[in-house]
Structure formats: C-alpha cells, structure tokens
Amino acid sequence: MINRAITSVDLPMEAYAPDGAYPEGYGYWEYGTSFNVMLISVLETAFGKDFGLSAKAGFLKTAGYLENMTGAKGAPFNYSDSGGGQDFNPAMFWFANKLNDPSLLWTQKEQLATRGVSGNRLLPAALIWSKGIQSAKITPPKSTMWVGGGLNPVAMMRTAGAILMRYLWV
C-alpha cells in the first residue's frame, strides 16, 4: 500500500512544475498540498526518507506561491473557483523547516495575530512541524516578486505594504 501511495502521488505532483504555481488556486492548494505534505512527513518519520517526493519539480517552491497569494488585507488572490477565504496553513510550517526559511511563515504569523485559527483539521500538525522555529525569526519575505509557470501561470509583485497580483494568460 505504501509503495502504491508513493507511485500514485507522482502524477498529481506534476502540477507543481516547474515553479510551484498551483493550477487550481489558493483554496485547492491548501487542500491538496497539505495532504501531500502529510504523506511526505509520515514517510520521513517512518522510513527516514521521502522517496524523492519533495524533490519533484516545483514542489518545494510552492511554499513561495502560497505565501505570495495573500494580499495586503489578508485575502487570497482568487482564481480557478478557489474561493476568497483565507485559512491557516499548517503545511507552511513543514516548508519553513524543510527549507530553513522562517519568512515563509510571515502570512501565517499575521493571521494568528489578527484572525486566529478555527476548524482546521490539520492544526495539530503545526505543533509538530513548527519544532525549532522561533517566532522572532519570522521576518517579512525579502523578495518583492514571485513568478510561477505551469498550467496556470501567475505573477505576484509586492511593495512594502501592498501586493499587486496578476493572473497571466498564455
């Protein structure tokens, strides 16, 4: 069963290539990527390796996609019927640890401070994946632009307080 899971998750992970942009938008990212991270985390814990899943094209870059999908007022850029709500994303703690980049948690920290969390079924995973992350080291992202190709290319540009988001049609 484990071998089948590793083999079958390969196909949907192709959607992250080449740069991590998720073709179905913010809300679907949270659902699909969170469970993908859950699988990888379980494999790492049980077997000490993830069988190359996190090395799939664009997968680790997708954390930058989600971080930049959140606008200045906390609302996500909505496309592909993704929905306009913003949720706390425990998977971002896994990415921040994996990439040793606490700035990936900037929008998560802001959400905790202003809106809190409620009803997220994966919330306990944030406790596990946040191990070793110091909130004082969660700084704003340095990059002011994020571009992702793939099935639905997107580009997001930010200034100090505002984000301009653009859906690119090719």
Side-chain angles (χ1 to χ4, degrees), residues 56-92:
K56 299 285 182 193
F59 186 69
L60 291 177
K61 293 179 182 180
T62 199
Y65 164 81
L66 187 82
E67 177 180 51
N68 286 284
M69 287 295 291
T70 304
K73 294 189 177 189
F77 178 40
N78 179 13
Y79 68 94
S80 292
D81 83 345
S82 178
Q86 180 194 21
D87 290 326
F88 180 74
N89 290 294
M92 290 299 284

Side-chain angles (χ1 to χ4, degrees), residues 12-70:
M13 287 187 76
E14 290 176 9
Y16 296 102
D19 308 301
Y22 200 72
E24 297 178 288
Y26 183 97
Y28 291 105
W29 182 100
E30 194 274 330
Y31 184 80
T33 305
S34 292
F35 287 103
N36 209 137
V37 165
M38 187 70 71
L39 171 64
I40 291 171
S41 180
V42 166
L43 292 172
E44 289 173 329
T45 301
F47 300 105
K49 59 183 179 178
D50 69 7
F51 299 91
L53 294 178
S54 65
K56 299 285 182 193
F59 186 69
L60 291 177
K61 293 179 182 180
T62 199
Y65 164 81
L66 187 82
E67 177 180 51
N68 286 284
M69 287 295 291
T70 304

Side-chain angles (χ1 to χ4, degrees), residues 106-159:
W106 181 250
T107 57
Q108 303 303 302
K109 181 179 178 180
E110 180 67 20
Q111 180 167 352
L112 285 171
T114 59
R115 292 178 298 285
V117 296
S118 63
N120 188 306
R121 64 183 162 236
L122 299 179
L123 182 60
L127 296 172
I128 297 166
W129 295 331
S130 65
K131 182 180 179 186
I133 296 175
Q134 298 173 7
S135 63
K137 292 191 177 184
I138 300 174
T139 58
K142 292 178 184 170
S143 177
T144 57
M145 183 169 180
W146 193 92
V147 178
L151 297 171
N152 284 329
V154 293
M156 280 83 65
M157 293 141 274
R158 81 173 64 228
T159 62

